[in-house]
Amino acid sequence: MKHKWAMVIDMDRCTGCGACVVACVAENNTPTAGEEEAGKGRLMQWLRVSRFWKKEGEDTRAIFVPTPCMHCEKAPCEIVCPVYATYHDEDDQVNAMVYNRCIGTRYCANNCPYSVRVFNWWNHQWEKPLDEQLNPDLSVRSRGVMEKCTYCIQRIRRGKETALKEGRKIRDGEVVPACAQTCPPGAILFGDLLDPDSAVSRMVKDPRLFKLMEHLGTEPKTAYLKKQKGPGR
Amino acid sequence: MSERHHLERQGEGGLYETLSRSNLVTTKGWYAAAGVLFALTAAAVGVFLYMMATGLGVTGLSRPVMWGTMIILFVFWIGLSHSGTLISAILRITQAGWRAPVLRGAEAMTVFALMVGGLFPLMHLGRNWRFYYMIPYPNERMLWPNFRSPLLWDMVAISTYLTGSILFLYFGMIPDLAAARDHATGWRKKLYTFLAAGFRGSHSEWRRYHVASTLFAVLIIPVAVSVHSIVSWDFAMAMVPGWHSTIFAPYFVAGAIYSGIAGVITVMAFLRRVFRLEHFLTVRHFDNLGKLLLTMTLIWGYFYFSEFLTTWYSRLPEDWELISSYGTHYLPLFLVMLTCNFLIPLPALCLSKVRRSIPAMFAVSLVVNVGMFAERALIVVPSLARRNDPSVWLGYFPTWVEISYIVGSVSMFALLYVLFSKLLPVMAISDIKEHLFRTTDRSIGAATVPSVAQEEEGEGE
Amino acid sequence: MSERSRTVVIGLFDAVEEAGAAARALRTLPLPEADITTISSVALPDGAVVSDPRPIRFPWAVALFWFVGAVSGAGLTLYSYLVYPLVTAGKPIASVPPTMIVTYELAMLAALLATLVAGFLSIGLARYRARKVFDPRIHEGKIAVCAAVEPGEQALRAAAALKEAGGAEVRTEEGEL
């Protein structure tokens, strides 16, 4: 059963609260780098909320861009890996990352125009009792490998297995990544583009839709809905 | 005999003694130099082991600057390696009359710079103990390398070049090893007997030897060009502003030849001084190398300008941000590069007074390589530090770990050279002999000028 | 003793001119051109003392191995496209640029290795057991003129001719020319 998972982020709804980041950290066993390391640009979070300032007349407004992996269909990170540690999963049409293969050339991170890939600079430790809350569905990455947003592949797999066991197709909204599940205003929407009735399939027809750095030809599957102008916004 | 050739004037035994002085006497100075260099190299190896044990966090790298000093050093040393073999091959093929004393030193420089440079892509791996994942051999991991990655091309090209350069160095050395074999005693005799592989110098051996040397030279030139092109493609294939450029391959090749010629001059000045080869490495060689360096200064400047101009004129936002950072955050680096690569060498090398002064040439060659290091840093770092997404922009500065790699790489190169000069013939004795053999004094009017006999092309076949 | 081992007369000369005279004398004995050679520390131009009429063919072996390397490089990449058809970046599995580059590099590598091996075979290097005629004094500036002869009368005549031309230390040895 083939899928084409995609994410649509509604900038109109995003408040920049950062709950998605926290959810992602909790779900994906992302280590916390600490203040000093974060200052050196070594945050391990798979999802960052970039903040840009925009002048609108008298006011300066913040624009928040939650940036997870774009899961590009023409992902520049994949082609440069010498050991196939990152490749295109044909069943789920996601950009997969195999930690055990990775030798840490960091070429993929250089070639990612969105800079969403993070590298394990250290062997990260989880102090007690934090280690108790590690997610058993996925591994804890060792030092020297790249990692990045997987669209919560463990949840996708779980959903597919359940559907297979029950002998049915996967339902729209059955698989929800941690960020989408947590987002208080519901700005993040996730689903299968091959399912014509799914919510994402409807959303990608929205005229507000845009993709980050579309001119690079990476064909990202994470898309954004533009902020609307007007009263009350 | 009226026309005594220059070789007879020298006397072959004496010639051998002068040229292989480095092999014959081991001075206290040699032990001191080798000891210091070994200590520095060992310290850098220790630092590497420390990095291997703790993690790449000990470097100054970050997101987005995922490549730093180690990659700069890689490009720098591979670039430096470039010229030795290339110059030697070109000089051999064109039968440049002044080539003989330069050949061996240049070829050895290539091999050692490659050995040093080739280490860095492996060291910089996050899991450097798993480097063999990149080698295509059948294995139980069901893992096969991705040939579409420029890093794989790099690995293939550099191993070809290293193998080729070692063969080229060795093959060129065979007649000298034969000479050393017949002069040496003890363990050296055993070593040279093995390495000389029974070369005698019979007429048919010499003929075949020359054909094979020419073949080596012809084959190594395209390999040398391809290697630095591929190193540049590591960058040019990536869609990073400032890297993704079609000019990169020829630009890198030109830059590599530039820094390589400067490296050859540095090494020649050292050899001349340390092994008292003033008689063979004359002002003429430095003058000629200086002219080559001047040519490369101009070519480098031309390439840099044409690359710069495209961005400057079109001002595409992503590229423009990068170029602007040269004027702000990276201004010191940019100025060092511009001064050392162009503003100093260009006028200096135009003056024959500078080209004909060995201390001045030594200084210029060092300045050029400082500039080339800055140039490489300017290619690797700012492009990454000013990525497409401004929210991740960050600076980069090497930590003590990376600085010790810089020191370590220089000392490892020097150490390899010092060991080489002790073990193997550091000057191309038989090429020098042949040159002297073919040189006679010819009287033109009242003046006496040296004249070199050479076969017409094709006649010697 | 290998089959190539023959009786060789060898004499040392100080200058090219003397060596040339000696070679001329040997030729008039008569001895075939291929049985006379010099051993010298610098290459002498062909025809200065002796000339070597045998053609040098080993560059063809190098050319052949260039193609062998090219085929193995292309084969290696094509094989990896077959055994590991992983999609990356939506690009074709069998990709032309890497095939070209790997083919080129392996072709050059094979040619370089072949130059060493073929060169060694052609020169006759690395045959450590072989007993070849030699005199280390060539590194003191002597030129040795050697000729393969029939033992007996011809050997004596050749030795006499070398002595007459000014050869020092003329002697007869068993060995390869």
Side-chain angles (χ1 to χ4, degrees):
Chain A
M1 190 63 207
K2 283 211 169 190
H3 302 277
K4 190 169 176 178
W5 302 105
M7 186 179 276
V8 176
I9 299 172
D10 192 341
M11 308 266 285
D12 224 355
R13 292 180 183 230
C14 178
T15 60
C17 68
C20 50
V21 180
V22 177
C24 176
V25 167
E27 168 72 17
N28 289 306
N29 298 342
T30 314
T32 41
E35 199 176 340
E36 194 193 333
E37 286 290 296
K40 289 185 195 163
R42 289 170 181 175
L43 271 179
M44 297 303 293
Q45 294 152 2
W46 290 0
L47 166 62
R48 66 168 184 272
V49 181
S50 308
R51 186 195 54 203
F52 299 96
W53 298 109
K54 192 187 178 191
K55 268 219 146 115
E56 279 185 356
E58 307 250 306
D59 313 324
T60 301
R61 294 185 57 165
I63 300 177
F64 298 103
V65 186
T67 319
C69 175
M70 298 291 140
H71 290 271
C72 311
E73 288 185 59
K74 301 256 156 65
C77 55
E78 289 168 0
I79 194 123
V80 294
C81 178
V83 290
Y84 285 119
T86 181
Y87 73 105
H88 220 67
D89 186 318
E90 284 179 87
D91 279 350
D92 293 308
Q93 294 287 311
V94 294
N95 174 242
M97 178 75 215
V98 188
Y99 308 121
N100 286 344
R101 278 189 200 148
C102 180
I103 53 173
T105 65
R106 309 192 288 292
Y107 202 170
C108 52
N110 282 349
N111 212 19
C112 173
Y114 310 100
S115 305
V116 293
R117 290 178 154 266
V118 292
F119 183 71
N120 282 282
W121 301 102
W122 308 103
N123 235 345
H124 293 281
Q125 303 295 328
W126 277 262
E127 283 166 38
K128 281 198 175 302
L130 287 177
D131 56 337
E132 301 282 345
Q133 61 110 54
L134 286 174
N135 186 350
D137 285 348
L138 76 161
S139 62
V140 170
R141 280 76 55 187
S142 69
R143 165 165 65 83
V145 302
M146 293 299 308
E147 54 184 72
K148 59 155 202 99
C149 159
T150 60
Y151 271 172
C152 286
I153 189 77
Q154 67 279 11
R155 294 189 176 202
I156 295 177
R157 293 273 147 82
R158 177 68 52 85
K160 283 168 81 176
E161 278 162 22
T162 318
L164 191 69
K165 215 187 298 170
E166 293 169 10
R168 58 174 172 83
K169 275 189 176 178
I170 203 160
R171 281 190 290 267
D172 186 34
E174 194 175 344
V175 177
V176 183
C179 52
Q181 189 183 25
T182 313
C183 182
I188 304 176
L189 199 70
F190 184 79
D192 185 2
L193 282 180
L194 291 185
D195 177 359
D197 302 324
S198 68
V200 237
S201 293
R202 285 199 307 279
M203 289 298 250
V204 291
K205 291 183 190 116
D206 193 308
R208 291 192 290 143
L209 189 98
F210 73 97
K211 289 170 179 176
L212 283 187
M213 298 175 217
E214 229 176 330
H215 63 286
L216 294 176
T218 53
E219 300 179 22
K221 278 203 295 290
T222 303
Y224 293 84
L225 298 181
K226 213 167 134 186
K227 242 179 163 68
Q228 286 175 336
K229 292 222 166 97
R233 297 274 166 204
Chain B
M1 256 185 300
S2 56
E3 290 185 345
R4 276 162 55 85
H5 48 73
H6 284 201
L7 183 56
E8 278 177 26
R9 205 185 283 161
Q10 293 275 340
E12 282 197 40
L15 185 73
Y16 174 80
E17 296 233 333
T18 329
L19 287 175
S20 50
R21 183 177 287 125
S22 65
N23 291 345
L24 299 176
V25 265
T26 311
T27 57
K28 274 189 191 134
W30 185 86
Y31 282 113
V36 169
L37 292 171
F38 180 78
L40 286 173
T41 312
V45 171
V47 172
F48 168 66
L49 291 176
Y50 163 71
M51 183 183 83
M52 202 172 176
T54 36
L56 281 168
V58 297
T59 64
L61 298 170
S62 64
R63 182 178 75 182
V65 190
M66 292 269 181
W67 288 0
T69 307
M70 281 180 273
I71 295 297
I72 299 170
L73 282 170
F74 162 66
V75 183
F76 176 77
W77 283 106
I78 301 286
L80 198 63
S81 83
H82 208 74
S83 259
T85 300
L86 198 68
I87 287 190
S88 158
I90 291 173
L91 295 184
R92 271 180 203 271
I93 289 174
T94 55
Q95 305 199 327
W98 53 279
R99 71 183 185 278
V102 182
L103 299 178
R104 179 70 33 77
E107 288 162 19
M109 189 189 87
T110 291
V111 171
F112 301 139
L114 264 180
M115 285 177 172
V116 174
L119 290 177
F120 286 103
L122 301 179
M123 284 165 66
H124 111 118
L125 293 179
R127 299 203 294 168
N128 28 39
W129 54 96
R130 293 264 187 267
F131 71 93
Y132 55 86
Y133 280 13
M134 283 198 286
I135 303 168
Y137 67 99
N139 58 62
E140 81 293 349
R141 303 184 300 277
M142 293 297 290
L143 193 77
W144 192 261
N146 177 10
F147 278 99
R148 282 163 290 182
S149 166
L151 293 183
L152 244 283
W153 312 346
D154 224 8
M155 199 187 70
V156 176
I158 289 174
S159 33
T160 299
Y161 192 39
L162 183 60
T163 315
S165 306
I166 292 174
L167 295 184
F168 189 56
L169 172 69
Y170 168 60
F171 203 80
M173 218 158 37
I174 287 178
D176 302 345
L177 289 166
R181 169 195 66 198
D182 297 330
H183 284 101
T185 50
W187 64 269
R188 279 181 183 272
K189 190 169 186 82
K190 278 185 193 149
L191 175 73
Y192 298 144
T193 306
F194 174 73
L195 287 176
F199 186 84
R200 292 177 297 164
S202 78
H203 185 62
S204 79
E205 283 178 2
W206 273 119
R207 267 185 84 219
R208 283 162 173 72
Y209 176 79
H210 283 309
V211 172
S213 315
T214 312
L215 213 52
F216 261 119
V218 171
L219 288 171
I220 205 84
I221 292 173
V223 175
V225 172
S226 79
V227 167
H228 223 73
S229 302
I230 289 173
V231 169
S232 84
W233 291 336
D234 281 350
F235 301 100
M237 293 299 136
M239 41 196 305
V240 177
W243 285 4
H244 195 62
S245 155
T246 49
I247 208 174
F248 253 42
Y251 169 49
F252 265 53
V253 172
I257 297 174
Y258 186 32
S259 74
I261 292 176
V264 169
I265 295 173
T266 315
V267 166
M268 289 300 140
F270 258 112
L271 290 180
R272 179 187 144 98
R273 183 69 199 269
V274 174
F275 299 120
R276 280 173 276 153
L277 297 165
E278 291 86 355
H279 209 67
F280 298 94
L281 281 165
T282 58
V283 166
R284 182 172 168 232
H285 297 101
F286 286 88
D287 190 19
N288 281 338
L289 286 169
K291 285 174 195 161
L292 280 180
L293 193 65
L294 176 61
T295 317
M296 292 319 297
T297 311
L298 290 166
I299 292 180
W300 181 89
Y302 163 67
F303 268 113
Y304 200 86
F305 180 70
S306 32
E307 201 217 355
F308 207 83
L309 185 65
T310 325
T311 321
W312 196 4
Y313 187 84
S314 61
R315 297 208 182 198
L316 293 175
E318 286 154 345
D319 293 330
W320 186 244
E321 281 303 333
L322 170 68
I323 297 284
S324 316
S325 76
Y326 291 0
T328 54
H329 192 72
Y330 294 101
L331 188 64
L333 207 55
F334 184 72
L335 288 181
V336 167
M337 181 197 73
L338 206 61
T339 317
C340 295
N341 274 356
F342 203 75
L343 299 180
I344 294 177
L346 183 68
L349 291 169
C350 283
L351 304 171
S352 71
K353 219 175 216 170
V354 173
R355 288 200 311 271
R356 302 185 73 85
S357 147
I358 289 156
M361 283 300 285
F362 180 67
V364 169
S365 71
L366 283 183
V367 161
V368 166
N369 264 324
V370 168
M372 284 312 286
F373 188 86
E375 189 242 30
R376 267 76 202 242
L378 212 52
I379 287 172
V380 175
V381 174
S383 298
L384 291 174
R386 295 285 177 275
R387 285 310 305 273
N388 311 52
D389 185 347
S391 71
V392 294
W393 285 2
L394 210 68
Y396 166 79
F397 200 81
T399 59
W400 67 272
V401 170
E402 287 157 298
I403 288 166
S404 64
Y405 291 157
I406 300 178
V407 178
S409 68
V410 175
S411 44
M412 181 179 163
F413 174 77
L415 177 67
L416 287 170
Y417 222 107
V418 163
L419 291 177
F420 170 76
S421 69
K422 187 53 46 190
L423 276 179
L424 296 166
V426 79
M427 292 299 271
I429 302 168
S430 60
D431 288 277
I432 295 174
K433 259 193 228 168
E434 186 166 339
H435 182 67
L436 292 172
F437 174 71
R438 284 165 179 263
T439 311
T440 47
D441 285 333
R442 190 183 152 201
S443 308
I444 301 180
T448 310
V449 287
S451 142
V452 183
Q454 217 164 61
E455 289 106 327
E456 285 284 316
E457 197 58 48
E459 223 172 273
E461 286 293 304
Chain C
M1 282 275 156
S2 73
E3 284 176 25
R4 296 201 224 170
S5 185
R6 300 170 69 180
T7 307
V8 176
V9 178
I10 175 167
L12 297 179
F13 294 85
D14 281 324
V16 184
E17 290 75 10
E18 291 170 24
R24 269 195 304 282
L26 288 174
R27 254 174 257 141
T28 51
L29 271 180
L31 279 175
E33 184 75 54
D35 283 352
I36 313 170
T37 191
T38 52
I39 302 177
S40 53
S41 67
V42 283
L44 301 171
D46 202 45
V49 177
V50 292
S51 57
D52 181 9
R54 285 174 298 165
I56 298 174
R57 294 212 178 84
F58 76 89
W60 290 107
V62 174
L64 176 74
F65 273 92
W66 191 92
F67 283 103
V68 171
V71 169
S72 53
L76 181 66
T77 46
L78 295 177
Y79 172 75
S80 51
Y81 302 146
L82 285 175
V83 294
Y84 238 64
L86 275 186
V87 179
T88 55
K91 297 229 163 92
I93 300 274
S95 173
V96 179
T99 311
M100 281 166 65
I101 288 169
V102 174
T103 302
Y104 171 80
E105 292 295 340
L106 286 196
M108 296 312 283
L109 180 64
L112 283 164
L113 290 170
T115 309
L116 184 79
V117 174
F120 262 49
L121 288 176
S122 172
I123 302 172
L125 295 183
R127 286 167 45 234
Y128 293 102
R129 296 266 178 77
R131 193 185 138 67
K132 296 181 189 168
V133 176
F134 184 59
D135 196 302
R137 273 167 293 183
I138 61 155
H139 291 299
E140 287 153 22
K142 305 281 185 196
I143 296 170
V145 175
C146 332
V149 290
E150 298 296 324
E153 194 238 355
Q154 197 185 31
L156 293 175
R157 271 168 49 209
L162 287 180
K163 266 188 202 133
E164 186 152 337
E169 307 240 5
V170 177
R171 60 181 196 273
T172 311
E173 277 184 23
E174 289 293 315
E176 285 182 33
L177 191 60

